[in-house]
Amino acid sequence: MANGSVRVRFCPSPTGNPHVGLVRTALFNWAFARHTGGTFVFRIEDTDAARDSEESYEQLLDSLRWLGFTWDEGPEVGGPHAPYRQSQRMDTYKEVAEKLQEAGHAYHCYCTASELEERRDAARAAGKPSGYDGKCREVGPEQKDRYEAEGREPIVRFRMPDETITFTDLVRGELTFTPENVPDYGIVRANGAPLYTLVNPVDDALMEITHVLRGEDLLSSTPRQIALYKALTELGIAKEIPSFGHLPYVMGEGNKKLSKRDPQSSLNLYRERGFLPEGLLNYLSLLGWSLSADQDIFTIEEMVAAFDVADVNPNPARFDLKKAEAINADHVRLLDVKDFTERCAPWLKAPFATWAPEDFDEAKWEAIAPHAQTRLKVLSEITENVDFLFLPEPAEDEASWAKAMKEGSDALLRTAKEKLEAADWTSAESLKEAVLAAGQAHGLKLGKAQAPVRVAVTGRTIGLPLFESLEILGKEKTLTRIDAALAKLGA
Ligand code: GLU
Ligand code: ZN
């Protein structure tokens, strides 16, 4: 599918925080556009004044930039179909809604909510389809006057053709919808506000979108949109009906659909925890797609080079935080050291740093960074891993202390101190031998001998490679901390 005329869109509504499902949709559209040399259109569906917010709009733009997506048309960059915010296109929707009514593709529906509910319940009870029954399809002028005299305010409803709609989903293959399952539906509210059901396909038509890739939750709107598209084509507003592809559901905990409200689904959470955009995108691409059976780790360029919608798997994908972290860890390792140290910068300052800014030591940081790089899953872990270098005393962690300081730990620490005093402090290997020898003197293997030393010096049982850490911290501070631990054990 390598042609320059592919036009895809990413068209979120600015409500709430961006979530990972949204990012996956953006990613697949973007990758498809880049793979085909097509156009990636970014459109903001902000026609719901009650739910949309400017803050959320800003967040969407900021998120796309952070992820490294560029858009060819959309907010801030403009394009031939500007404006790309639906709130600025209201006149267009009004005009199209009128044309649809004039041509008989849409009509005023005067049914009240309670009337609709009553008829829905009756249909259900009779075992019939419970969607809109078409009552207002043929309202004559007199009836209309009567309704209006009663003070009823109509909505505009689209008239679904009484025919079966079949289309070939790019992911799921051929799908068929019969008319009973796709009733006439509202496109404009009684107060004149156009609905998603209208504005989304109208803009897809006007913006000449060729492929609609979106979540499976929107599958039920596709037959409606195809019918609307046909009407728009008749009116000369649409050119060609786009192809549709529905991306699989993402399942979260307990095999339930991951919802926007799940904390796990918030993009900001991943940013705050120090996921790399490339790690997160690599992981999200696996929710429905894979590069090959034996390669989980790849760059965005590799994904773009290989991506085809036809390869998307229709089965639900499982969101697995552990796997996301493991993949991110691989991407952390792939950075060059300088890039890694720069990306850690936010976590070495307020509000994350637990040390005073003047106690930060650039040279020590540069020395420890390569050791940290091979061990972090997410960048936010850096703070705890290096705090021992910059805090005047190691962080206090009761659980670590209790775990490492056993009977005989004081004797071990005294021997370790002696051996370390005599060691070569320009060589981590020499420091290791010192602790090894101290362990041997007390019948302990290296692992057991090293635990109390680690807790004495860094405060925690888990951390970066110990002997490199000691070397970087330096002889004086290391020995002072062992003394302090011995004093604490003696007390
Ligand atoms: N604004 C819609 C949403 O965020 C777009 C859905 C679509 O891609 O058609 O759900
Ligand atoms: Zn009606």
Side-chain angles (χ1 to χ4, degrees), residues 9-13 22 25 43-45 86 196 200 204 212-215 217-218 221 225 260:
R9 80 319 191 251
F10 173 57
C11 54
S13 298
L22 206 62
T25 299
R43 180 172 81 223
I44 302 289
E45 304 213 316
Q86 292 188 322
Y196 161 77
N200 177 277
D204 283 351
V212 171
L213 307 181
R214 58 185 176 191
D217 51 319
L218 291 155
S221 57
Q225 292 181 355
K260 282 182 225 185

Side-chain angles (χ1 to χ4, degrees), residues 27-282:
L27 170 62
F28 283 28
N29 277 286
W30 180 84
F32 187 57
R34 293 296 171 258
H35 177 84
T36 55
T39 303
F40 180 64
V41 178
F42 181 21
R43 180 172 81 223
I44 302 289
E45 304 213 316
D46 55 349
T47 52
D48 189 345
R51 295 178 61 227
D52 301 329
S53 77
E54 203 57 24
E55 190 194 342
S56 173
Y57 164 75
E58 295 293 344
Q59 269 202 39
L60 279 168
L61 265 63
D62 180 54
S63 302
L64 285 205
R65 284 196 201 99
W66 179 74
L67 291 160
F69 295 145
T70 46
W71 51 98
D72 308 305
E73 294 176 25
E76 297 191 340
V77 307
H81 304 283
Y84 291 89
R85 293 186 71 169
Q86 292 188 322
S87 55
Q88 296 166 4
R89 303 170 62 81
M90 290 299 188
D91 292 345
T92 303
Y93 310 131
K94 191 159 179 263
E95 201 180 300
V96 174
E98 276 160 14
K99 285 189 180 156
L100 286 168
Q101 287 176 86
E102 279 160 24
H105 289 297
Y107 57 90
H108 277 144
C109 167
Y110 291 89
C111 301
T112 64
S114 61
E115 287 167 348
L116 290 173
E117 198 182 305
E118 214 170 280
R119 301 205 311 268
R120 202 181 309 130
D121 290 347
R124 274 210 194 104
K128 294 204 190 119
S130 57
Y132 185 70
D133 54 9
K135 179 159 192 271
C136 300
R137 276 187 168 195
E138 318 301 337
V139 173
E142 280 159 36
Q143 180 65 11
K144 188 176 149 102
D145 289 346
R146 235 173 299 136
Y147 278 149
E148 275 165 16
E150 284 173 30
R152 294 183 186 234
E153 287 179 345
I155 66 160
V156 179
R157 229 180 242 288
F158 183 75
R159 183 191 301 267
M160 281 297 293
D162 296 310
E163 60 193 37
T164 294
I165 292 180
T166 296
F167 69 96
T168 305
D169 189 285
L170 299 166
V171 176
R172 271 144 234 282
E174 193 172 286
L175 298 173
T176 296
F177 294 82
T178 55
E180 326 66 278
N181 294 314
V182 195
D184 297 353
Y185 59 95
I187 55 175
V188 181
R189 287 208 173 95
N191 67 5
L195 292 165
Y196 161 77
T197 50
L198 177 71
V199 299
N200 177 277
V202 164
D203 279 344
D204 283 351
L206 293 173
M207 297 179 182
E208 298 176 50
I209 298 304
T210 57
H211 296 75
V212 171
L213 307 181
R214 58 185 176 191
E216 185 173 348
D217 51 319
L218 291 155
L219 182 57
S220 63
S221 57
T222 301
R224 302 166 168 193
Q225 292 181 355
I226 288 176
L228 180 58
Y229 244 102
K230 283 191 183 147
L232 294 176
T233 312
E234 213 183 281
L235 295 171
I237 295 168
K239 287 198 181 123
E240 240 176 283
I241 299 180
S243 305
F244 290 84
H246 293 88
L247 310 176
Y249 282 120
V250 179
M251 314 306 274
E253 305 268 299
N255 218 27
K256 280 200 306 235
K257 262 183 273 165
L258 196 64
S259 111
K260 282 182 225 185
R261 285 163 294 276
D262 262 314
Q264 252 206 71
S265 77
S266 156
L267 174 65
N268 292 342
L269 178 90
Y270 296 90
R271 282 181 76 167
E272 282 156 19
R273 295 198 55 219
F275 267 77
L276 303 177
E278 52 268 58
L280 187 63
L281 290 179
N282 184 163

Side-chain angles (χ1 to χ4, degrees), residues 342-463:
E342 283 166 10
R343 297 218 216 180
C344 285
W347 285 278
L348 300 171
K349 306 198 268 255
F352 305 105
T354 47
W355 53 86
E358 62 274 19
D359 290 339
F360 180 73
D361 181 327
E362 193 68 42
K364 283 190 164 56
W365 162 236
E366 275 172 24
I368 200 89
H371 302 292
Q373 188 181 358
T374 56
R375 280 165 184 81
L376 301 191
K377 294 194 292 291
V378 292
L379 297 180
S380 63
E381 291 169 348
I382 195 65
T383 322
E384 272 203 11
N385 272 286
V386 301
D387 65 357
F388 74 96
L389 289 172
F390 312 126
L391 287 168
E393 281 159 27
E396 269 184 56
D397 180 49
E398 294 298 332
S400 288
W401 182 272
K403 195 168 166 201
M405 300 303 184
K406 302 259 159 60
E407 263 224 55
S409 288
D410 51 344
L412 180 275
L413 281 176
R414 261 188 293 274
T415 314
K417 192 189 156 196
E418 256 166 48
K419 305 268 181 205
L420 284 169
E421 243 163 354
D424 170 8
W425 277 80
T426 62
S427 150
E429 196 49 41
S430 167
L431 304 180
K432 178 178 171 184
E433 269 152 27
V435 174
L436 187 68
Q440 276 163 355
H442 296 272
L444 295 172
K445 292 221 172 82
L446 182 63
K448 289 261 186 276
Q450 134 179 345
V453 176
R454 182 188 285 282
V455 172
V457 177
T458 73
R460 299 189 188 85
T461 45
I462 296 171

